[in-house]
Amino acid sequence: RALGSDGEIGFELNELQQARDDESLEMQLMAMVCATYATGEVVAFALIRHALKALTPTPFREVLREIAADEALHARLGPMLVDHLRRNPKSTWLHYPGDRWVADCVRQAIRELSARDVVEQDEADLFADPEAAKQLDLLGIPPSEPFRGAYLKALREDVPDGLARVGVEIDSTTSPGGRRASR
């Protein structure tokens, strides 16, 4: 609304739905814990932290700061659930499928997320114009290339580190950006 729109925000329906398949509901829930919470939410929090550091102080950045408090909780949820389930193998609400399964699920989520185009090219092109770049900063949109770098770094480091803190190691694999990860 501050930019003159009607305030309606549209999302692709598939972005708002949890895909279902023939796996048991329990395994689908565990996949959501690993892919959505222990991976996607960790990346989202890294991106908002990056934006807060990169942007000029404006009311738009302050909105991001408020959102960041909520995102911090989301980013902690996945690894905490994995940790809880690992420590409570007789849990009655959700069975822990083992470290290998969790690591495989997270690696798959990392592969899928690293294939996403996190910055649209037309937006990235705007940053080549100093005046447009200044306007984007004032609107709470950080420069595209460092944002993309923060995204890949979160996939390469933050996600594996969060799981390593709770005892789940992500095996050595080619990580986003082509570098080898030592997890």
Side-chain angles (χ1 to χ4, degrees):
R1 289 188 180 114
L3 302 174
S5 83
D6 61 8
E8 293 294 320
I9 299 174
F11 293 95
E12 292 294 323
L13 186 57
N14 65 342
E15 293 285 331
L16 300 173
Q17 294 178 324
Q18 179 67 34
R20 300 284 309 270
D21 58 28
D22 292 335
E23 279 284 340
S24 71
L25 188 56
E26 182 178 48
M27 294 311 291
Q28 290 182 62
L29 178 57
M30 193 64 205
M32 185 171 68
V33 166
C34 296
T36 302
Y37 296 112
T39 307
E41 293 293 347
V42 170
V43 172
F45 183 55
L47 290 176
I48 208 161
R49 281 192 337 255
H50 167 79
L52 289 171
K53 290 178 188 172
L55 294 167
T56 301
T58 67
F60 289 106
R61 189 179 86 167
E62 289 310 307
V63 169
L64 290 177
R65 187 175 307 287
E66 289 180 32
I67 293 169
D70 194 42
E71 289 300 319
L73 295 173
H74 296 172
R76 291 180 53 212
L77 186 60
M80 286 174 60
L81 282 170
V82 169
D83 185 46
H84 170 77
L85 294 168
R86 283 182 89 238
R87 291 174 186 263
N88 296 284
K90 296 181 186 210
S91 172
T92 58
W93 74 276
L94 186 60
H95 170 75
Y96 186 69
D99 291 352
R100 177 180 284 292
W101 189 95
V102 169
D104 288 346
C105 184
V106 169
R107 276 195 303 276
Q108 177 63 31
I110 289 171
R111 279 190 297 275
E112 290 172 6
L113 288 173
S114 64
R116 292 180 81 178
D117 190 8
V118 70
V119 176
E120 297 198 19
Q121 191 56 48
D122 57 346
E123 177 186 309
D125 293 344
L126 286 172
F127 282 98
D129 174 358
E131 186 57 35
K134 180 180 172 185
Q135 294 299 317
L136 289 168
D137 175 73
L138 294 174
L139 294 172
I141 301 171
S144 299
E145 288 311 311
F147 187 83
R148 183 179 284 125
Y151 179 79
L152 294 173
K153 180 180 182 285
L155 289 170
R156 184 176 59 244
E157 297 175 15
D158 295 359
V159 171
D161 289 351
L163 287 165
R165 281 192 291 277
V166 300
V168 178
E169 295 293 328
I170 305 299
D171 304 15
S172 293
T173 184
T174 301
S175 62
R179 294 189 8 203
R180 298 291 292 178
S182 58
R183 297 260 183 277

